[in-house]
Amino acid sequence: MHRFKSRVALPAAFCCAITAGGAGNAQQSDDKAMPLGDGRAGSMPLRGHVYSCMTRFLGGGAEHDGEWLGADSWDATRKIHVQGDVSWPNARFSVQTLNGVRKITGNGLPTGHTTGIFPIHPSDPAYRIDRNPNRIEARQVALNLPMLPEIAADAGCLPMGMVGITSGGVAIFNALDAAGRDAVAHEVQDHCNGHPQMSGQYHYHGISPCHAAENENNALIGYALDGFGIYSSRDESGKELSNADLDECHGRISRISWDGQRREMYHYVLTKEYPYTIGCFRGRLVSGSGEATNGEQPATGGPGFVPVGAASRLPPQEALDSCGVLSLGERCEFVSPRGDHVSGICRSPSGLKACVPDRMPAIR
């Protein structure tokens, strides 16, 4: 967790810090020269970056650069998409509210649109760039989120897995691919800007043109795993928002429609500009928020959630890094800070995905 040093004294101070600097600064995005997000992932919250729980990346993602990629920008109008138009009649998703809790359940399949064909077929031009071998599969989603989430004094880092979910039932991941690069720019997704990861979880890394609400002003797109809403890229007046309008976690405080009422409250904003979805968790992650079985990261207490007083029980960074691109239950290994070679299974102690040893090394 990382502290927002200038915004923790009082909630009102945080409100003013966000709303005073951004109004009127948004610029219309240039789809032909989108800034490339490579190198903008770090271990602290910073505007226009991803505050990543993972500090070392093992590689993966697209095998080659597409013709749309430049040295420091990319042309979204030239990017190709995975072919196919697959329907998912068994997709299910529901949101219920009871006693201050938003209960979200589903099977991870899109309820409102078709997808491309995965694994990517060798005859698909996308195969030359990105040979995604994964197939889309139903994955259980069960979340209990607060209806009135609270702003936290400390920002929370983002895991390499689900950080939110859309109202169409599709998981939202952070902006990074397995190599720590700009996933939206490098990887080849389908016509809805989605694709599956290794355990079959279909997800977005950014805006989806297939989500109808994205074409509306100040519209709810979905929910982050801290309970705050994720909204469309245009404000009430239709102005496209950018990083200049948002804070380090890619959000702001403004008047929105929330559970049928107009409220002045914090929310995240999707943008065409990297990091696209959210840059860090701004809300307080609540222990026991549910389980999202997506094969990437647990959501019990929110991914990356560490209970108060658990710091001494945190696994070493090497154990966290070894499971960075693996699924829960997969075999893993790492070298401990003491130099011991440790093998085990990827599990989720303290809400963090880490390599849990089969047998603890002998104490020297």
Side-chain angles (χ1 to χ4, degrees):
M1 304 290 278
H2 195 283
R3 183 171 296 277
F4 281 87
K5 295 181 179 178
S6 62
R7 298 178 181 167
V8 299
L10 292 171
F14 175 73
C15 171
C16 296
I18 294 179
T19 57
N25 292 332
Q27 299 293 324
Q28 189 74 21
S29 61
D30 181 1
D31 291 351
K32 292 182 177 292
M34 303 296 295
L36 192 62
D38 291 2
R40 286 196 276 166
S43 57
M44 63 181 295
L46 186 64
R47 179 181 291 178
H49 288 60
V50 172
Y51 175 20
S52 175
C53 298
M54 182 178 287
T55 58
R56 290 198 294 269
F57 296 91
L58 304 179
E63 289 83 359
H64 304 286
D65 288 345
E67 294 83 354
W68 56 88
L69 283 168
D72 54 10
S73 65
W74 63 286
D75 186 345
T77 66
R78 296 180 59 197
K79 187 181 177 184
I80 63 175
H81 298 287
V82 175
Q83 295 176 344
D85 194 29
V86 181
S87 298
W88 300 95
N90 60 326
R92 58 180 179 81
F93 181 75
S94 69
V95 180
Q96 298 176 317
T97 57
L98 179 66
N99 298 328
V101 175
R102 193 180 315 280
K103 184 178 179 62
I104 298 175
T105 58
N107 63 1
L109 300 176
T111 60
H113 64 73
T114 59
T115 69
I117 298 173
F118 296 93
I120 300 176
H121 196 274
S123 64
D124 190 328
Y127 188 81
R128 181 174 55 86
I129 305 295
D130 187 346
R131 299 183 180 184
N132 189 332
N134 307 310
R135 67 179 66 254
I136 299 172
E137 297 182 4
R139 307 294 298 180
Q140 180 187 2
V141 174
L143 300 169
N144 294 318
L145 306 179
M147 292 179 62
L148 291 176
E150 299 178 10
I151 290 176
D154 298 323
C157 63
L158 302 182
M160 296 297 288
M162 187 165 69
V163 300
I165 192 163
T166 71
S167 57
V170 175
I172 298 173
F173 281 24
N174 70 35
L176 306 175
D177 68 6
R181 304 172 301 181
D182 183 334
V184 174
H186 283 275
E187 295 182 317
V188 185
Q189 295 96 11
D190 63 17
H191 59 283
C192 290
N193 290 346
H195 65 170
Q197 44 78 279
M198 63 181 67
S199 68
Q201 179 75 45
Y202 183 77
H203 62 278
Y204 309 132
H205 290 278
I207 290 175
S208 172
C210 298
H211 198 293
E214 177 50 39
N215 298 317
E216 302 174 11
N217 295 344
N218 211 24
L220 179 69
I221 300 294
Y223 303 94
L225 296 188
D226 58 7
F228 282 114
I230 303 173
Y231 280 71
S232 59
S233 59
R234 297 183 182 275
D235 67 10
E236 286 185 316
S237 65
K239 180 180 63 178
E240 183 179 335
L241 301 175
S242 71
N243 289 348
D245 300 285
L246 308 175
D247 70 356
E248 295 91 336
C249 289
H250 216 57
R252 68 176 194 157
I253 293 176
S254 70
R255 186 166 291 277
I256 57 174
S257 178
W258 185 250
D259 291 329
Q261 298 182 7
R262 299 290 294 170
R263 291 179 178 269
E264 190 87 9
M265 66 179 291
Y266 187 83
H267 58 282
Y268 300 103
V269 178
L270 293 181
T271 63
K272 291 182 179 180
E273 184 180 14
Y274 181 95
Y276 310 115
T277 58
I278 69 177
C280 52
F281 286 120
R282 191 66 192 92
R284 185 171 65 87
L285 295 168
V286 180
S287 180
S289 66
E291 181 71 13
T293 315
N294 61 20
E296 280 286 331
Q297 192 78 2
T300 303
F305 171 76
V306 181
V308 175
S312 62
R313 303 193 302 273
L314 287 178
Q317 186 64 49
E318 290 80 5
L320 297 170
D321 291 344
S322 68
C323 288
V325 295
L326 301 178
S327 300
L328 292 174
E330 287 194 63
R331 298 294 304 176
C332 54
E333 58 181 20
F334 65 96
V335 178
S336 75
R338 298 192 310 177
D340 298 302
H341 187 275
V342 182
S343 61
I345 296 176
C346 290
R347 301 190 188 280
S348 56
S350 302
L352 291 168
K353 185 172 65 172
C355 189
V356 177
D358 294 323
R359 179 177 58 86
M360 294 301 294
I363 299 176
R364 295 175 179 173

